Amino acid sequence: MIIDIHTHTPQFKEAVPASALVMNDRWRPDRAVAATFSWGDYLAAQVPAQKSVVFGVAWNPGQMTDNLSGQGAGDTSWYTGNVNDATATFVRAHPDRLIGFMSVHPYDATCLEEIERCRVDLGLRGIKLGANYQNFDPLESRALAIYEQAQKHGLPILFHQGTSPVRNAPIRLAHPLLMDEIAMRYPDLKIVMAHLGHPWQAESCVVIRKHPNVYADISGTFYRPFSFWEQMVKAAEWNVLDKVLFGTDYPITTVAETLDHLRRVNEIVEGTKLPRVPAEAIEAIIQRDSLALLGLG
Ligand SMILES: [Zn+2]
């Protein structure tokens, strides 16, 4: 079974109207990405994954809207819903294929209540945080309160890690070594470090090696082919390929193209003596039961 651990909630239930279609050409070097997408777009792009974890990002305190504005998506005034409600509605319509995560902002006065509402009323099973996008210090007390509650209730947290092209998102807040600090304080908290911490993949490898409950996903990394090969070789050398989870970061990539690039990861070193990523390790990542590892089986 293929499980996609990292996807984003569609903004539109029906087809995206032409007037609302926003293309972003900064996310990937090889092609533009539709930053606005529908339930139908999402579900088609997720084939052949059988299960996908889906979430939005609560960009601002007191405003749960995943407004995408910081990602250069242009005028987003058409999208004003609570992102957790949007995620839950989508998941309820496709419970066989989707597992919903919530997003909260630590500066929101009702943050802990929102976690409980999402967990109990909406049935969301984990948390997505992006401290750089949300502009909070991952080690400050209000953030720690989130981890405490997540650990207590078995809610895994998927953190955006590493860089992003969003101009007002401080990169230092998404450095992988911060995850080491969090994991030492909350050893039972399940953590997923997104994008293998790009471009700090070695730092991510040593963090996931150290902490039994910390994993990393490979979402949104294949389109830098040399870095992609290098990160997989590093993960092999640090002996952490078993902590690496399959993910796409849809809409940034689709399941089919991520599978294709994973299986061709060694092509870039053909004709050289450089190390290869073992094919069986690649297939193990593709077939990994990430939900069971995160306590969501
Ligand atoms: Zn993402």
Side-chain angles (χ1 to χ4, degrees), residues 6 8 55 128 195 249:
H6 186 148
H8 290 265
F55 43 70
K128 164 65 189 266
H195 320 302
D249 202 14

Side-chain angles (χ1 to χ4, degrees), residues 14-257:
E14 310 297 339
V16 179
S19 60
L21 181 62
V22 176
M23 299 302 291
N24 187 310
D25 60 10
R26 290 188 305 155
W27 283 334
R28 288 178 61 156
D30 55 342
R31 70 165 171 85
V33 171
T36 47
F37 49 100
S38 68
W39 286 17
D41 297 331
Y42 176 105
L43 294 167
Q46 285 310 107
V47 176
Q50 280 90 352
K51 299 266 186 198
S52 305
V53 170
V54 61
F55 43 70
V57 178
W59 283 72
N60 301 301
Q63 180 209 349
M64 303 303 295
T65 304
D66 191 356
N67 63 22
L68 292 174
S69 61
Q71 305 201 31
D75 176 17
T76 52
S77 52
W78 43 266
Y79 184 68
T80 55
N82 175 311
V83 70
N84 295 327
D85 288 318
T87 299
T89 303
F90 185 39
V91 171
R92 278 199 195 111
H94 299 280
D96 50 327
R97 293 184 60 182
L98 302 176
I99 293 101
F101 279 18
M102 67 190 82
S103 188
V104 292
H105 200 296
Y107 297 176
D108 194 319
T110 62
C111 174
L112 299 182
E113 288 89 331
E114 176 69 2
I115 292 175
E116 280 308 278
R117 186 184 79 89
C118 290
R119 185 178 76 85
V120 177
D121 299 346
L122 301 185
L124 301 179
R125 316 259 329 257
I127 302 175
K128 164 65 189 266
L129 296 174
N132 57 324
Y133 299 127
Q134 298 173 292
N135 213 337
F136 70 84
D137 173 355
L139 298 177
E140 75 113 83
S141 60
R142 289 170 290 186
L144 299 182
I146 294 176
Y147 315 148
E148 178 90 46
Q149 191 148 338
Q151 178 176 257
K152 181 173 155 195
H153 292 294
L155 299 167
I157 304 182
L158 189 148
F159 286 87
H160 173 83
Q161 290 288 277
T163 193
S164 113
V166 176
R167 194 173 181 186
N168 58 3
I171 293 172
R172 69 184 164 81
L173 299 178
H175 194 282
L177 292 187
L178 292 167
M179 295 295 115
D180 181 38
E181 304 283 332
I182 296 169
M184 284 190 285
R185 286 172 171 82
Y186 301 96
D188 295 327
L189 176 63
K190 305 272 189 191
I191 292 174
V192 180
M193 300 171 62
H195 320 302
L196 239 165
H198 64 161
W200 296 294
Q201 291 95 343
E203 287 81 347
S204 301
C205 285
V206 297
V207 174
I208 62 178
R209 180 175 79 132
K210 193 180 159 191
H211 296 289
N213 288 316
V214 182
Y215 300 85
D217 80 42
I218 51 120
S219 69
T221 55
F222 70 74
Y223 43 77
R224 294 185 181 88
F226 179 76
S227 310
F228 185 57
W229 166 81
E230 188 185 30
Q231 78 182 23
M232 302 308 283
V233 167
K234 282 180 178 172
E237 291 186 338
W238 285 106
N239 198 22
V240 292
L241 280 171
D242 61 331
K243 305 288 291 292
V244 172
L245 311 182
F246 181 83
T248 62
D249 202 14
Y250 180 81
I252 312 284
T253 82
T254 67
V255 172
E257 62 178 347

